Amino acid sequence: DQGASAGPDRTDVVVGLWGAGTLGMLLWGGVSYLRLRRRTGEAIRLEGNLYETDQIAAPFVCGVFSPKIYLPVGLDPQDRPYVLLHEQAHLRRRDHLTKPLAWLALCLHWCNPLLWLAYRLFCRDVEAACDQAVIRPLGREDTARYAATLLHLGCRSGFPAAVPLAFGTEATKGRIRA
């Protein structure tokens, strides 16, 4: 009987590995989103879609259908207007819709190193575009204050995040120079 196979077909193994990787990426994104929602669940509404909580370190936009801006408690009053301008730029650009779509593409093509690079560059470009939208109407002094705000709140994320669109998380040094 030559039709019987001694083991699994190579294609089945490859498809199984790809499916497991895709499922793992989707689960990681889903779990991280649910953990974030749990941390922001008791945030206090300040006005409109603006919330404040002591459970976060950096401001960000979160939500696809009903995006909200979350601010950390104790945000410096001098930094607040710049942070709000930046987060509102994310909303105007609809980054809360495009970043999850880019993450979904990364989940489906997790084994492609070029897509990892593209996702990383996409996140950097999203932040740079919002920075440009904020500083375009500002004068030299306000632009320097905005750079100082980036420095105060900037942090570096090592692994690409599915969520959220956080203020100051992508290449802070390069953003300040720009």
Side-chain angles (χ1 to χ4, degrees):
D1 184 26
Q2 294 180 8
S5 165
D9 184 23
R10 184 181 306 184
T11 304
D12 293 340
V13 171
V14 170
V15 169
L17 285 173
W18 172 80
T22 300
L23 183 60
M25 292 281 292
L26 289 170
L27 283 173
W28 178 70
V31 167
S32 65
Y33 181 76
L34 290 175
R35 288 178 61 203
L36 181 68
R37 296 297 296 168
R38 185 172 36 130
R39 287 175 51 202
T40 59
E42 295 182 18
I44 298 168
R45 183 176 182 210
L46 301 177
E47 60 183 76
N49 67 342
L50 185 61
Y51 291 78
E52 188 177 57
T53 179
D54 61 354
Q55 299 296 311
I56 60 172
F60 61 87
V61 171
C62 188
V64 175
F65 301 110
S66 169
K68 295 173 178 63
I69 298 172
Y70 291 96
L71 302 175
V73 170
L75 183 63
D76 188 334
Q78 290 183 332
D79 293 342
R80 187 181 172 116
Y82 301 110
V83 168
L84 290 176
L85 287 171
H86 179 91
E87 300 306 333
Q88 290 163 349
H90 277 301
L91 293 176
R92 278 191 312 277
R93 292 175 30 82
R94 296 191 178 10
D95 292 334
H96 61 285
L97 300 174
T98 57
K99 190 169 183 181
L101 288 175
W103 175 255
L104 182 59
L106 184 62
C107 289
L108 293 174
H109 299 278
W110 61 270
C111 53
N112 184 344
L114 289 178
L115 203 60
W116 283 91
L117 176 62
Y119 184 80
R120 186 76 173 166
L121 293 174
F122 165 77
C123 292
R124 187 190 68 187
D125 290 348
V126 162
E127 293 303 322
C130 288
D131 291 340
Q132 288 300 315
V134 170
I135 66 171
R136 190 173 294 123
L138 300 179
R140 181 177 220 106
E141 188 175 313
D142 283 329
T143 299
R145 285 189 191 138
Y146 181 71
T149 299
L150 284 175
L151 190 58
H152 296 154
L153 297 172
C155 59
R156 190 173 175 97
S157 70
F159 197 75
V163 291
L165 297 166
F167 185 92
T169 59
E170 290 295 328
T172 304
K173 183 177 178 181
R175 289 172 63 194
I176 291 170
R177 281 186 186 165

